[in-house]
Amino acid sequence: MKNILVTGGAGFIGSNFVRRSLKLKKDWRIVVLDALTYAGNLENLNGLEDEYKDRYSFNKLDIKDKEGVFKLFERENFDGVINFAAESHVDRSILGPLIFVETNVLGTVNLLEASRKYFKDGEKRFLQISTDEVYGALGEDGSFTEETKVDPSSPYSASKTSADLFVLAYTRTYGLNVVITRCCNNYGPYQFPEKLIPFMIKRALDNEPLPVYGDGRNVRDWIYVDDHNDGTILAFEKGKIGEVYNLGARCEKRNIDLVKIIIEKLKNNLKDRKDFKEPQINFVKDRPGHDFRYSIDPSKAERELGFKAKVSFEEGIEKTIKWYIENEGWWRRIISGEYLEYVKKQYEDAK
Ligand code: NAD
Ligand code: TYD
């Protein structure tokens, strides 16, 4: 049995990862560490304690907590770490960058320090979940490869880039067994309704206008969360020490086109609901430093890890929209005072 620490396991991608890897990797025991910030939700992990009694446990802990993290490493004798924990939202990083430095940089370095102490055995791996946003913005052409120079635009991406540089320094300086993955925009169940897709679904279901930044021509590259997580498992098991792997599904969409797809899908799924009205699109003030386009070239992961995204956009978006319609209680429960304050601040100019 392999004992794996998964940080940020109560968030969107992390909770999907925990479910998926418990199902697929019968010889893994997963220890989740999560501080349960506004984005972390124990409900995302409901049922796992009963279903996987001996292979799953949860610890409420901050990755910055030196004593707590070191104690956990001492007690658990981990075989590896997968670090999903992060402040993850660009717009929040623009409103308040400091916590992004604290969690994404200091927190990651704290985990690296614990790994340096307890992972004497070079077999034990530290996998850093990074993002394509470290590469900055593309124009109309080209894609990010692992050779693309890092050039982050937002406080969020700058903090993720800094973390990556520390991770790479730990392999060069201390010989720590590290791998980094950089994935494009994820979508799927359990994504906090501040990110584009769930936010637009929530607004539409509440008969509110859909705020599209700028002219809506910015491009994002989308992957279904399970495909990202399959790539994560492959990178953890097969990645070469000190290497970076881009993960993506070759699925670029302009924001405005994606929002129109969401509207069409909602209309289709809700045609029997009399209270649902077709939502209006509202072009609002652009995000400062808004990256124009992301495009991931996943060839290296395909070649070296055998990675291949399997879920088509059509299938993934249909599943996702159905999930948010069927799980309205889930997102309504997390729309708290804090969330309302954030939305008010972020969209104060929008109608
Ligand atoms: P999320 O915001 O949904 O979840 C983050 C989780 O980390 C939450 O459960 C939160 O409670 C936890 N966390 C935050 N600060 C913590 C701390 N100090 N100590 C312990 N736990 C803490 O984020 P997500 O979208 O699931 O992203 C997960 C990872 O994947 C992040 O590292 C992000 O940079 C990366 N990533 C995300 C995307 C995407 O499209 N969402 C794409 C590429 C990479
Ligand atoms: P987001 O989900 O925040 O992811 P990221 O900024 O990390 O790519 O946003 C995706 C795209 O959607 C991005 O170009 C910004 C845009 N966007 C809007 O136009 N309106 C919104 O209300 C939000 C949340 C995002």
Side-chain angles (χ1 to χ4, degrees):
M1 199 58 83
K2 278 206 159 125
N3 202 24
I4 317 274
L5 174 64
V6 174
T7 71
F12 162 47
I13 306 175
S15 62
N16 278 287
F17 179 82
V18 172
R19 276 181 199 288
R20 193 157 180 85
S21 53
L22 282 169
K23 194 165 103 193
L24 298 178
K25 306 297 298 178
K26 305 268 191 272
D27 62 337
W28 283 15
R29 177 173 177 271
I30 304 270
V31 177
V32 173
L33 176 170
D34 199 296
L36 298 180
T37 68
Y38 80 92
N41 182 356
L42 268 183
E43 216 182 302
N44 300 357
L45 298 164
N46 262 355
L48 296 181
E49 238 152 49
D50 295 331
E51 196 175 345
Y52 300 100
K53 275 191 192 62
D54 307 325
R55 293 206 291 127
Y56 165 80
S57 74
F58 179 86
N59 296 267
K60 181 175 182 313
L61 195 62
D62 194 310
I63 56 169
K64 300 190 298 294
D65 177 346
K66 185 161 195 276
E67 205 187 319
V69 165
F70 276 60
K71 265 195 192 145
L72 189 70
F73 271 70
E74 173 87 44
R75 190 179 79 217
E76 290 284 353
N77 189 23
F78 293 120
D79 295 295
V81 176
I82 304 181
N83 182 28
F84 288 97
E87 286 294 330
S88 67
H89 189 34
V90 173
D91 294 322
R92 283 183 189 257
S93 82
I94 296 168
L95 295 173
L98 205 56
I99 192 172
F100 285 73
V101 181
E102 290 164 357
T103 294
N104 299 358
V105 188
L106 295 178
T108 300
V109 174
N110 191 38
L111 291 171
L112 287 166
E113 278 294 277
S115 306
R116 178 159 82 91
K117 175 163 183 199
Y118 292 100
F119 288 8
K120 296 289 182 216
D121 172 1
E123 294 284 300
K124 297 185 173 184
R125 167 149 291 176
F126 185 103
L127 177 64
Q128 174 70 359
I129 306 298
S130 183
T131 162
D132 61 356
E133 300 196 27
V134 302
Y135 297 121
L138 291 165
E140 296 284 354
D141 302 315
S143 293
F144 301 130
T145 72
E146 292 78 359
E147 309 305 319
T148 305
K149 162 170 105 43
V150 292
D151 185 21
S153 308
S154 70
Y156 162 67
S157 52
S159 69
K160 293 294 289 186
T161 309
S162 310
D164 282 11
L165 297 180
F166 274 99
V167 171
L168 293 172
Y170 268 65
T171 201
R172 287 192 206 154
T173 306
Y174 306 113
L176 193 70
N177 179 341
V178 306
V179 168
I180 295 176
T181 56
R182 293 179 178 154
C183 190
C184 57
N185 284 62
N186 284 224
Y187 67 100
Y190 300 106
Q191 187 167 31
F192 194 84
E194 63 184 357
K195 305 279 169 64
L196 180 71
I197 294 177
F199 187 65
M200 295 299 163
I201 300 173
K202 180 239 165 254
R203 300 273 296 194
L205 291 174
D206 280 344
N207 289 323
E208 291 166 332
L210 311 186
V212 172
Y213 298 161
D215 60 9
R217 295 167 75 89
N218 300 62
V219 174
R220 293 295 180 265
D221 194 355
W222 295 94
I223 189 169
Y224 191 67
V225 63
D226 285 348
D227 279 333
H228 176 193
N229 283 330
D230 288 350
T232 303
I233 294 175
L234 285 169
F236 184 76
E237 293 195 317
K238 296 190 177 164
K240 289 203 202 89
I241 298 183
E243 292 287 319
V244 173
Y245 296 93
N246 285 351
L247 299 174
R250 294 189 175 86
C251 177
E252 293 177 41
K253 299 259 176 266
R254 292 195 316 179
N255 291 339
I256 186 66
D257 298 333
L258 175 51
V259 169
K260 286 180 180 163
I261 293 173
I262 295 171
I263 294 174
E264 283 314 304
K265 294 265 169 212
L266 283 170
K267 272 165 57 185
N268 228 347
N269 276 281
L270 297 173
K271 48 181 180 300
D272 299 331
R273 239 165 86 167
K274 296 254 168 347
D275 59 333
F276 179 76
K277 293 188 209 68
E278 178 164 345
Q280 296 304 303
I281 292 173
N282 190 8
F283 291 97
V284 300
K285 187 177 74 187
D286 207 355
R287 171 188 282 173
H290 195 176
D291 284 336
F292 175 62
R293 176 171 161 261
Y294 300 145
S295 170
I296 271 281
D297 178 352
S299 306
K300 178 178 173 186
E302 289 171 352
R303 208 172 47 241
E304 294 186 14
L305 306 177
F307 169 73
K308 186 89 198 143
K310 295 186 195 76
V311 181
S312 70
F313 185 75
E314 180 59 33
E315 183 193 341
I317 197 73
E318 182 68 29
K319 272 210 288 208
T320 303
I321 285 175
K322 284 206 157 76
W323 191 88
Y324 283 93
I325 293 172
E326 282 159 17
N327 291 275
E328 191 164 334
W330 175 86
W331 54 264
R332 291 234 177 262
R333 279 190 289 283
I334 55 181
I335 298 179
S336 63
E338 190 277 344
Y339 174 87
L340 295 175
E341 272 308 299
Y342 162 73
V343 172
K344 203 166 134 206
K345 225 187 226 167
Q346 175 62 20
Y347 299 92
E348 58 190 0
D349 290 344
K351 279 179 213 84

